[in-house]
Amino acid sequence: MALSPVAAARFDVADEAMAGIMDAGFFLTGHRNYVPHEYPCRRAYAARFRDRRPDRVPGFVQAAGAAGWWLHPGADRVDLSGFWHRPTAVEARACSGLRLAEPASLRLRLATCGAAMLWVDGAEAAWLAPCTRNLDAGVDATVDLAAGDHAIEVWFADLCERDTRWWFQLAVCDGGDFRVVVPLPVDQARAAGLLEAMAGLRFERAAFDAEPVALSIARPLRHAVDMTVTVEPRFLHSEGAAGAATVPAGTARLPVGAAASLPADFRDYTVTLADGPFALSRRLGVEVAHAGRPAAAGLAARIDEVLAHAGAAAEPGPETALAQLACGRAGPHADAILAATLPPIDDCWDCADFLLVPLLWARIRHGDAIGARVREQIDRAVLGFRYWLDEPGNDVMWFFSENHALLFHACAYLAGGLLADATFARSGRCGRDQQAVGRARLVGWFDNFEACGMAEWNAAPYIPIDLLGLAALFALAPDPEIRARAGRAILRLVEWTALASYQGLTVASQGRSYEHSLRGPRSDELSGLARLLWGRGRLGAQHRALPLLALALRDHGLVLPAALARIALWDDPRELEWTHAQGEHRLAALYHCKARHWAMGSVAAYRPGGWGYQETVLQARIGDHPDAQIWINHPGERLVGGFGRPSYWAGNATLPRVHQYRALGVLRFDGHPETPDFTHAHVAEAAYDAVVDRGRRLLLRAGDGLALLQAGRPLRRIDRGPTAGIEARQEGRRGDWLVRLSDLATEGSLEAFDRRMAGLDLRDGGDGAIRVDDPVYGPVVMAADGTVGAEGRTLDPATWTLAGRARLSDGTDLVLPSQQGDRP
């Protein structure tokens, strides 16, 4: 479809306090991914527009000309979703056309979450305005059309708050034969060539580890085009990098730049190919890593390494300035970084609490080294910030998840102590009272954490955010109880991270995940944490908690048990099996097993058949290559690189039934009817030394690790487009998957592993159970309630506890540091 420019404007309402508390289970969605928490701006928007016919007229696109085109292969909707830190009202128009060979009566269905109107040949055909954040509705319309061409136009609008699904879908449900015709400013052959190029566009590698970064297309370009590549900005930053080039005809490889010139991070890259006035864009994600060197020997040297890395960040944030100040590098550069941090805090952007924690640390510990003018600006921002729901505001800051709640309470506590005699504008409290309120809420947060752990279990994006707040409290809290509880929480999080680590990389079920946290293992902050603490991993461009944790270790007496290194970098001939449960009412029963050359983690009996959000239910790794990892999911949307929660790779539209026993994992999907009609596995084939395709079985070797990935129906390895070489797809919403891991020392070769596992399959175990006859474990019977019986023992998720149990394959228990009374 041809698209108009997007009209966007802030949607501010009068400041208003809200009611509510931390909701650790907000993502336990009863219907699709709808989250019920509603802000005043949404209520105001709905009062004006919900269920009211929009006052709009057709003709904008035709009169003004198209600003762009939506021609995404495989996408089933026009989707302009994204992330907005402030409430923003948006609207746009799209036009297309239908060509009928003979008269017909067509039934059309228009769907959206916000508001939309449909015109056919300039006559209004339908409208709807549910105006419900991220929850769509639809309306049907029947139109009688003569043979020939007919103009279709759609106006669509919404209020964008944080992650917002701004899209519309227009489908022909039944009627006569038709063709879609789109008005284009170039001839059909040239347009088709550009569309074909965009459909086959992908990054040359699944990830770039210091190699030159380049894109490739399935077939060489038929005509010369202009290419623009924009590196989308880092979260909470407003600027990205861009490059442009003319690409001659016959080109199939499109250079982007040297890895060292691009962020060491998983980023979205918006690629635009233009043939004169006709341009198509596509957003693709990829990880770029800079040439790495071994971690420094000894914790003290690695602390210095982390602080130097953070202090020299190419995209600086408040933690950059903090690292500079803590290393004696005060001056105009650090002041400028701190000053640049303030606008999102002053304006109460969503996630501004991520910025305020290191800013407060810098102000509390190094205030005298900050220029007087900047120090005054910081104090004004601190006094004007909104610290919780019950303080008035018109923002869309997210208060409900446990990581945000911790930071808000920590900020209130620390800011109140810093400015004890001043008045905080939104609460009207003096600093001492603000500190007392923050402290009381922190006590409640610690009570919940110590009893339940994390509802966002093992979440690679959110463990660093929790560590950010906990490190600040450990270093800065004037109250010994708060400091001690923060230290114990740090130990617990780091211990869980060590148990769920494989050679410095996360391998576990995760309560919330994103494509960037799954597909960016080198630059993920937990990789940096492993490097800091255990000498294995990489330092990426993003570092929320790492410099603060380094300072807590260097300057504030934080000590973490050395025994965690052995657990994190497991090199024992025995397997380590770990069972535990996290979340309220033991929401997530978690199972992990790892050996020298493989690891796998999963969640047992977790809402099978329910609507998913961002949960990754099973993940496996083999060998030493960072990309030799497997996870399997039912995508939440068809658009690769979209903003859905769940998205294409992160989370599940429908949660599967999941079982694991040691190196054997089983998933059974039964997807909801309106969801994508396939499930798929992420398999970056270039990371493996061998890939053997057996139809519905893939055999993989990476280093000394071996893996069998098996589906209930034939697997299709995607070989074209953005997921070429990384996706193995099983058609249908119903489907079984099996993962079996091993190593060369056990099997001798990949071929021998193939032969030994040839009879491995899912069978009926009676009473709803699944049975797998494993050549090593014997009969493995997996009951519908999550229990697993094998090798004369029973794993029962209902008995797993927060404290957990670590068991070695020789039958002995591994006593964890947290169980030995070790404390920071």
Side-chain angles (χ1 to χ4, degrees), residues 422-560:
T423 299
F424 283 69
R426 294 178 186 270
S427 69
R429 303 184 188 102
C430 72
R432 289 186 181 83
D433 290 342
Q434 189 83 344
Q435 182 183 40
V437 170
R439 184 192 187 283
R441 288 172 175 163
L442 281 172
V443 168
W445 189 94
F446 282 121
D447 288 346
N448 179 271
F449 177 79
E450 290 165 4
C452 303
M454 295 176 66
E456 300 164 326
W457 67 88
N458 298 334
Y462 294 117
I463 288 175
I465 300 303
D466 283 350
L467 289 173
L468 170 69
L470 294 169
L473 290 171
F474 183 84
L476 305 175
D479 186 318
E481 180 192 350
I482 297 296
R483 174 182 162 87
R485 297 182 83 172
R488 290 195 295 271
I490 291 171
L491 169 60
R492 178 168 277 181
L493 283 175
V494 172
E495 183 175 272
W496 288 338
T497 301
L499 285 159
S501 290
Y502 169 72
Q503 309 306 332
L505 300 171
T506 298
V507 54
S509 168
Q510 298 184 46
R512 289 180 67 197
S513 56
Y514 297 85
E515 182 179 359
H516 67 80
S517 61
L518 291 167
R519 292 189 57 213
R522 299 164 184 80
S523 56
D524 183 80
E525 190 161 5
L526 290 186
S527 178
L529 178 71
R531 183 183 180 96
L532 170 66
L533 297 180
W534 308 310
R536 186 81 57 86
R538 298 277 194 98
L539 296 175
Q542 297 216 39
H543 35 258
R544 297 282 181 210
L546 212 54
L548 281 72
L549 199 63
L551 289 175
L553 290 163
R554 189 191 75 173
D555 299 338
H556 300 282
L558 179 64
V559 177
L560 293 170

Side-chain angles (χ1 to χ4, degrees), residues 97 106 182 210 213 293 296 432 434 466 491 495 591 631 740:
L106 302 183
V182 181
V213 178
R293 61 178 186 273
R432 289 186 181 83
Q434 189 83 344
D466 283 350
L491 169 60
E495 183 175 272
Y591 183 95
W631 73 88
R740 182 62 160 89

Side-chain angles (χ1 to χ4, degrees), residues 114-384:
M117 293 190 76
L118 167 67
W119 297 270
V120 179
D121 294 331
E124 182 181 322
W127 68 269
L128 75 164
C131 297
T132 304
R133 180 178 181 268
N134 290 351
L135 183 64
D136 59 286
V139 62
D140 289 352
T142 299
V143 292
D144 296 320
L145 301 178
D149 290 354
H150 300 274
I152 304 293
E153 186 169 351
V154 176
W155 168 89
F156 59 112
D158 206 343
L159 177 66
C160 294
E161 336 158 39
R162 313 184 66 250
D163 56 296
T164 301
R165 305 301 310 280
W166 182 36
W167 56 263
F168 77 88
Q169 185 179 57
L170 180 62
V172 179
C173 299
D174 54 38
D177 294 333
F178 65 91
R179 291 178 59 195
V180 176
V181 291
V182 181
L184 299 174
V186 295
D187 69 66
Q188 184 174 345
R190 294 180 74 96
L194 197 62
L195 180 60
E196 181 184 46
M198 291 303 287
L201 186 71
R202 66 180 180 92
F203 276 101
E204 196 172 53
R205 294 171 175 264
F208 293 87
D209 196 354
E211 305 90 354
V213 178
L215 296 151
S216 69
I217 53 178
R219 295 181 183 175
L221 290 163
R222 301 175 187 175
H223 307 95
V225 300
D226 294 321
M227 179 180 74
T228 303
V229 179
T230 302
V231 187
E232 296 300 328
R234 175 186 170 190
F235 196 61
L236 285 169
H237 286 248
S238 58
E239 296 181 0
T246 298
V247 183
T251 300
R253 184 178 188 271
L254 313 177
V256 174
S261 69
L262 298 167
D265 205 353
F266 187 97
R267 289 292 178 92
D268 286 330
Y269 291 70
T270 297
V271 183
T272 302
L273 299 181
D275 184 357
F278 180 53
L280 295 176
S281 296
R282 189 161 201 174
R283 185 173 55 243
L284 304 174
V286 75
E287 182 181 40
V288 175
H290 295 168
R293 61 178 186 273
L299 180 60
R302 294 197 296 270
I303 289 171
D304 292 341
E305 178 187 53
V306 164
L307 293 174
H309 179 81
E315 297 172 294
E319 64 284 342
T320 308
L322 174 60
Q324 293 179 359
L325 291 168
C327 293
R329 294 167 52 199
H333 187 252
D335 284 357
I337 295 171
L338 293 173
T341 297
L342 297 176
I345 296 172
D346 288 330
D347 205 21
C348 290
W349 283 18
D350 182 47
C351 298
D353 47 316
F354 295 0
L355 304 176
L356 188 54
V357 171
L359 182 77
L360 283 168
W361 190 320
R363 174 65 180 87
I364 291 168
R365 288 295 182 193
H366 306 285
D368 292 343
I370 299 171
R373 183 169 176 271
V374 174
R375 188 168 61 245
E376 291 169 2
Q377 293 172 338
I378 292 172
D379 290 354
R380 283 198 298 272
V382 168
L383 291 172

